[in-house]
Amino acid sequence: MTDNTFYLDKAIEFIDRVGGVKELMYSDSWTGYNNNEDYTIDSGASKVVLVFTNSNYVVKIPFKGEDCRYEDYGCENSCSRNCSCSRCSRRSVGEGCDEFTGARVGENEYGWDYCASEQFFYEKAVIAGVEEFFIKTILIGEYCGHPIYLQEKVEVYGYSSQTKSSEQSKEIFIKKFCHSEIQDEDFGGLLVEYYGEDRVNQLVEFLSEVGISDLHNSNVGIRANCPVLFDYSGYGA
């Protein structure tokens, strides 16, 4: 049984280290922080991920929105959060930041939390009988009202994966599924090899039906030699 308390505590510790929920809330409002002995840090457009070194799990913390911009007039400190130079005009966190509205979190409900989207889509995948393609995302708690999630760790396919498909499987994928949301042809070939054409066809139809997009090679991966989708929330600011 996974000790969710450990991961929740580490997530809260991380949030405090970067300045609290308000600082982390918007994707462009934080400059990133160094890794530590427990985990490395990865981030995308909609969430930050703590990849634990000696664990089979990662923590996902969703950003609330994007696009916290500031004007840079050439000050060398303009990348600093608390720059006091009169030549710099940096807005406080929240000013000029756009909250996400494109995360599908229900049948006819959209919001800002793209991790909640993964939960919603996984439940849909279970109903459709294609959940084996997806890594489940679970809510483990909140901190100051901000949700924190847990997911099994996978090898990110786009991060120099050495697992390649055969040319035959790749050609099948290109011929039959090239218009799907799965963008990497080698990864698509692996899906064909591992699951078979019929199952991949079911997956592709499901992705189209529910509207899952943005499945580039950094959102798919390998778990126990099996090709899987782990970041399947889609993305639309």
Side-chain angles (χ1 to χ4, degrees):
M1 188 176 208
T2 306
D3 181 8
N4 291 347
T5 302
F6 168 80
Y7 296 102
L8 188 60
D9 287 347
K10 289 297 181 181
I12 291 171
E13 177 185 286
F14 167 77
I15 292 172
D16 285 339
R17 185 159 63 94
V18 302
V21 165
K22 190 174 182 181
E23 184 76 9
L24 186 65
M25 194 174 292
Y26 295 94
S27 62
D28 292 335
S29 69
W30 73 301
T31 57
Y33 291 80
N34 294 330
N35 306 322
N36 70 14
E37 61 183 10
D38 293 314
Y39 51 77
T40 59
I41 301 168
D42 200 358
S43 66
S46 63
K47 57 187 76 76
V48 62
V49 182
L50 310 184
V51 184
F52 287 86
T53 306
N54 298 310
S55 168
N56 293 323
Y57 292 90
V58 302
V59 162
K60 290 186 169 185
I61 308 171
F63 295 129
K64 194 164 187 179
E66 66 172 353
D67 199 21
C68 282
R69 296 180 184 151
Y70 65 94
E71 295 180 13
D72 179 358
Y73 295 102
C75 173
E76 62 182 8
N77 298 317
S78 61
C79 62
S80 171
R81 168 62 52 200
N82 298 313
C83 179
S84 59
C85 175
S86 61
R87 297 179 64 195
C88 290
S89 175
R90 184 163 195 141
R91 294 176 288 199
S92 62
V93 177
E95 293 180 13
C97 296
D98 299 319
E99 185 172 301
F100 291 135
T101 58
R104 188 178 179 191
V105 296
E107 288 296 342
N108 296 294
E109 184 181 358
Y110 292 82
W112 61 267
D113 184 350
Y114 278 96
C115 292
S117 284
E118 289 177 3
Q119 283 195 305
F120 170 75
F121 285 132
Y122 187 84
E123 292 170 1
K124 299 285 284 184
V126 170
I127 294 171
V130 294
E131 70 272 18
E132 65 184 311
F133 292 98
F134 299 86
I135 303 297
K136 188 176 183 179
T137 301
I138 63 170
L139 177 69
I140 60 171
E142 294 184 349
Y143 182 50
C144 298
H146 202 84
I148 298 168
Y149 297 83
L150 193 70
Q151 188 182 69
E152 283 189 73
K153 187 197 297 183
V154 304
E155 175 192 352
V156 181
Y157 196 72
Y159 293 0
S160 66
S161 174
Q162 300 301 309
T163 309
K164 303 295 181 183
S165 66
S166 68
E167 285 300 317
Q168 181 181 6
S169 297
K170 183 177 176 180
E171 286 302 317
I172 291 173
F173 178 81
I174 292 172
K175 181 178 179 180
K176 295 191 173 182
F177 307 114
C178 64
H179 298 299
S180 73
E181 289 296 336
I182 300 162
Q183 299 175 18
D184 189 286
E185 295 169 354
D186 268 309
F187 181 81
L190 288 176
L191 289 174
V192 172
E193 285 182 11
Y194 193 89
Y195 298 99
E197 290 179 49
D198 289 344
R199 288 293 284 160
V200 174
N201 186 62
Q202 288 178 300
L203 169 65
V204 168
E205 289 182 348
F206 172 76
L207 296 176
S208 176
E209 178 185 341
V210 301
I212 295 176
S213 60
D214 197 39
L215 294 175
H216 54 75
N217 63 7
S218 293
N219 287 343
V220 300
I222 306 294
R223 181 189 62 177
N225 298 316
C226 172
V228 290
L229 316 180
F230 67 87
D231 191 336
Y232 45 89
S233 60
Y235 179 70

